[in-house]
Each structure stands twice: as C-alpha cells, then as structure tokens.
Amino acid sequence: MVEATGFDIEVDGGLWHECANRREWRCNWLVADQSGARCFACRLVRHRPPADDTLANEKLADALGDQHRLLVQLQSLGIPVDPWFEGDGGLGFDLLSSYSENRVVTIGHANGIVTLDLVETLDQVREQTRVRLGEAYRTMLGHYRHEAGHYYQWILVEQTRWIDECRTLFGDERASYTDALARHYESGAPEGWQDAFISEYATMHPWEDFAETFAHYLHITGVLQTSASAGVVIDAAGPVPPQPVRPRPSYGPDDFDAMLADWRWTSGFFNQVNRSIGKADFYPFRFVAAPVVEKLRFVHRVLTALPPTHIAPTDGFARRAA
Ligand SMILES: [Zn+2]
Ligand SMILES: [Zn+2]
C-alpha cells in the first residue's frame, strides 16, 4: 500500500522521502532514512560543474536521468554497484562540461570513476560528433552503458576466473592503449571488421571491444525488458518464427539464444516503426557474425553467473517516486 503525504510517501508501513535533488536534478528517487538527504543515485555523482557554470548545471538533470536509468537496469540485472564513497575503486560519476569554459573533458573510466562531458546532452554537438566519427548511434545513455562496460570488465572479469576466456574472445587488454588509439584515428577500422566486431570503435582495443559489447548487451536487455513490461507480443506473419515473439523481463543463464532470437524480431519491429514515421533505424546495427554473438554470449554468462547477494538494494535504490 502506498500513501503520499506531501513529498513523504508511506510504502508498506515505512516512510520514504523525496530525494533532496528532486527539484534541481528532477530526481524521482526516494530516500528511506532521513528527510533532506540525497538518494543513492545522486550520491554517486562525485564531481559536478562549478556552481557558477549555470549552462552546464542546467544540463545536469538531463544527464542524471540517463544515469538513473543505467542504475535501475544494473539493479534489475543483479549487477553489483559498490559506490565510490564506500571504498577505493567503487563506482562514481564525474559529470563535467567542456562547453562553458572550453575545458578539455575526456569521456572515460578510471578506477571506478566514469567521466562524462555534459556537452553531449546538446543535440547539435552530439550529432555533429556522431557524423564526424561516422557512428551509427550516439546518446548519453549509450555513453553511460559503454563506460559502465569498462568498469565491469575491470571488476567482474579482469579480477576473476573469467579473464583467460575474455582474452581469447576479445584479445589481450594489456596491449598498449596509446598505440591502439593512434592507429585507430590514423587508419580507422580494418577492412571486414563486421566479421568480428559489433562496431568500428570496438576494433580499436580489446577494452573498447568489451565495452561496446557490454553496452549493446544493456541496449538489448533494456529494450526487451521495457517491451515485456508493456506486454508487447510480435505476432509476425510467415513461417518464421513459428510462435509469437514475447520479449521477457529477464533471461536466465541458459536463455541466451532465446534472448537473441527475441531481440532480432523486436529490434526489427521497432526499426519498422521508426521507418514508418520517417526516422532513422531504432537499432542501426546488424550482427550475425559468430564472433560477435559469442562475445555477447560471454557477457551474458558473466552477468547471469553473479551471486544473487549482489542484488541487495541500498537505501532508496529500489524505490522511485512517480
Ligand atoms: Zn536523487
Ligand atoms: Zn571506451
């Protein structure tokens, strides 16, 4: 039973309060312990632009909406979120801006901290960059998912039994990143990259390959989960598939092939929806090459093998206001 009193909400006998960032950041999460506190997601922000940089601060709410979405998805997939403020190497976000002061902000991940450039929330800037780099897709949520991929490769793969298999599939991540970066921006992706990589950027270095694959895994599971929650059923005509396609809210360790089959029909359907209103494809990627599928399968295996204890929600993590 949910009962709202002002901005305090009673849920099953417990009192929850609005996050202190409800107005400034349009945060819709709740806090269990005390009124006037910031929620778990907002506290993951380690650095923000200076208070007098009003242009950048105006963009924080947009950027935080995608960050909250990422965290909800991590929680639903049972992926651990150990915050930066509870220990070195925990997850945190530096949301900075290269826009107002012409500062150089490099999007990336280091030691648990994900750095993003708020200028990417500006459509004209992000779209120009996308076209200049020849990318099929560029969004803030995509940046969050990609950088989260770097973080989770570091804690869930490089420090665990998965590392040898990961190197077999993605290559040795100890290869020089500086050399790889120079090579990529000089000569681009190698001919025939589609046979082994999910995107051109993934060809640059094994780390980028994993991060790109991880991001696509979150794209796939995120859309399937949303579709499932709305009861989407694709009753496709023709001999294949023989049954209506019903995206599921989650897919177990042995369900990877089913997930991929559901995804091909679901993304194909949404591509048609977008085309029917004159927009670019919803999911502008096609991966059929076996190595790409095996890399995605690896991410699925790593994530579905996580111990269930990791799902434990921290304060307010599980509760969101409307
Ligand atoms: Zn909040
Ligand atoms: Zn990257």
Side-chain angles (χ1 to χ4, degrees), residues 146-147 150 177 201 207-208 211:
H146 174 102
E147 299 307 330
H150 287 309
Y177 190 85
Y201 194 63
W207 272 336
E208 300 306 344

Side-chain angles (χ1 to χ4, degrees), residues 19 21 27 29 39 42 68:
C19 169
N21 285 334
C27 176
W29 284 32
C39 74
C42 289
H68 284 43

Side-chain angles (χ1 to χ4, degrees), residues 79-191:
I79 302 175
V81 178
D82 298 317
W84 65 273
F85 48 80
E86 282 180 7
D88 188 41
L91 183 64
F93 297 88
D94 285 355
L95 301 178
L96 309 175
S97 172
S98 63
Y99 184 63
S100 309
E101 297 173 5
N102 283 324
R103 239 191 319 245
V104 175
V105 175
T106 306
I107 297 174
H109 160 262
N111 197 37
I113 301 299
V114 167
T115 301
L116 290 183
D117 188 352
L118 292 167
V119 77
E120 294 265 342
T121 62
L122 295 172
D123 291 346
Q124 74 272 25
V125 174
R126 190 186 59 256
E127 195 58 12
Q128 263 180 9
T129 311
R130 184 187 71 75
V131 172
R132 181 167 51 81
L133 298 177
E135 296 174 341
Y137 169 94
R138 191 177 182 93
T139 66
M140 277 301 271
L141 182 59
H143 287 320
Y144 278 112
R145 286 173 170 168
H146 174 102
E147 299 307 330
H150 287 309
Y151 173 62
Y152 285 109
Q153 181 180 15
W154 180 50
I155 64 165
L156 299 181
V157 177
E158 287 178 32
Q159 302 174 27
T160 68
R161 65 184 169 92
W162 293 106
I163 185 59
D164 291 336
E165 198 177 340
C166 182
R167 282 179 184 148
T168 306
L169 283 167
F170 294 85
D172 193 333
E173 81 288 351
R174 293 166 295 187
S176 164
Y177 190 85
T178 318
D179 292 352
L181 191 69
R183 192 172 54 241
H184 182 74
Y185 285 110
E186 203 176 283
S187 25
E191 190 107 354

Side-chain angles (χ1 to χ4, degrees), residues 19-22 25 27-31 37-43 68:
C19 169
N21 285 334
R22 185 172 175 88
W25 291 358
C27 176
N28 65 350
W29 284 32
L30 300 173
V31 186
R38 291 185 305 145
C39 74
F40 181 72
C42 289
R43 283 189 290 138
H68 284 43

Side-chain angles (χ1 to χ4, degrees), residues 258-271:
M259 185 186 87
L260 211 55
D262 287 354
W263 174 244
R264 292 206 161 114
W265 284 94
T266 307
S267 60
F269 165 69
F270 284 120
N271 280 350

